[in-house]
Amino acid sequence: QVQLVESGGGLVQAGGSLRLSCLASGGTFRDYVMGWFRQAPGKEREFVAAITWNGSGEKYADSVKARFTISRDNAKNTVALQMDNLKPDDTAVYYCAGGSRWYPADRSNYNYWGQGTQVTVSS
């Protein structure tokens, strides 16, 4: 059974930074496209970023381009999301997800999900 565990969330001031990390276990990490999604109260879960199997390509939601960077370390079975210049609208629970194909923004592409980590950005 594949398990994904996120960490690194917290409370930051607007303009600050956080680095989220997701540790995978129970599968072959390199076989999965990895993505980050987020869900704010009262809103649907939305795509944030995704990275290909070997890290050769990435895709970002327009709302986070130039501010967030996704990366993966296949030797450590981790995927990270570096979040810079955070805004209050970034406040959400952030979820790590593993998928099978390169349909990065398609939630149905992802079969495995972490428990989520809370990111709160204050004014």
Side-chain angles (χ1 to χ4, degrees):
Q1 183 77 9
V2 173
Q3 290 186 307
L4 304 173
V5 180
E6 302 97 334
S7 61
L11 173 64
V12 297
Q13 300 291 323
S17 297
L18 281 174
R19 184 176 178 87
L20 306 182
S21 184
C22 173
L23 176 64
S25 62
T28 304
F29 185 67
R30 291 184 59 91
D31 287 348
Y32 298 99
V33 168
M34 299 302 298
W36 288 94
F37 290 73
R38 67 187 183 187
Q39 188 165 23
K43 298 180 66 177
E44 296 185 6
R45 190 169 300 186
E46 66 176 358
F47 170 74
V48 176
I51 190 165
T52 59
W53 302 264
N54 62 359
S56 63
E58 313 95 41
K59 183 175 176 63
Y60 298 93
D62 288 343
S63 59
V64 306
K65 284 182 179 177
R67 298 191 299 119
F68 291 10
T69 303
I70 189 171
S71 61
R72 68 189 296 163
D73 186 342
N74 287 346
K76 297 181 178 179
N77 290 358
T78 59
V79 58
L81 186 69
Q82 177 67 40
M83 305 186 295
D84 297 321
N85 192 23
L86 283 160
K87 304 175 180 180
D89 284 349
D90 295 319
T91 295
V93 176
Y94 283 70
Y95 297 90
C96 175
S100 58
R101 306 289 298 276
W102 187 239
Y103 300 111
D106 186 353
R107 193 177 67 85
S108 67
N109 183 56
Y110 297 90
N111 302 119
Y112 304 102
W113 296 84
Q115 83 289 350
T117 185
Q118 177 71 47
V119 172
T120 302
V121 184
S122 65
S123 300

